[in-house]
């Protein structure tokens, strides 16, 4: 089974610049509203099914949260749903 890649902040910056990924913020809505990466989508249980239905599996994804724990779980889930490139 494929796996996601854990990357540093510098690598994330390069990935955003080079690959134009969909950026997914998996923090709670209050944290997202307070500060999020420009253009990030606040991915939650409320919108995950729509995201899966609307998003091409070859679109690169960058997933982030507070400390990397929730984003790690979300990234693995997205790999299991058939996404090719998840960071």
């Amino acid at each position: 089974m494929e796996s996601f890649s854990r990357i540093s902040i510098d690598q994330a910056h390069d990935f955003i610049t080079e690959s134009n990924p969909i950026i997914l913020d998996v923090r709670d809505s209050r944290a997202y509203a307070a500060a999020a990466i420009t253009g990030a989508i606040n991915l939650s249980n409320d919108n995950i099914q729509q995201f899966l239905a609307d998003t091409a599996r070859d679109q690169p994804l960058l997933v982030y949260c507070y400390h990397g724990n929730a984003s790690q779980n979300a990234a693995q889930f997205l790999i299991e749903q058939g996404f090719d490139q998840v960071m």
Side-chain angles (χ1 to χ4, degrees), residues 24-44:
L24 301 172
D25 184 331
V26 296
R27 300 173 302 151
D28 63 71
S29 59
R30 284 180 64 183
Y32 174 80
I37 295 174
T38 302
I41 297 169
N42 188 212
L43 192 64
S44 69

Side-chain angles (χ1 to χ4, degrees), residues 24-62:
L24 301 172
D25 184 331
V26 296
R27 300 173 302 151
D28 63 71
S29 59
R30 284 180 64 183
Y32 174 80
I37 295 174
T38 302
I41 297 169
N42 188 212
L43 192 64
S44 69
N45 289 334
D46 294 333
N47 65 358
I48 185 70
Q49 292 305 316
Q50 191 65 50
F51 177 81
L52 293 173
D54 293 346
T55 308
R57 298 308 192 259
D58 63 348
Q59 175 69 42
L61 306 177
L62 176 68

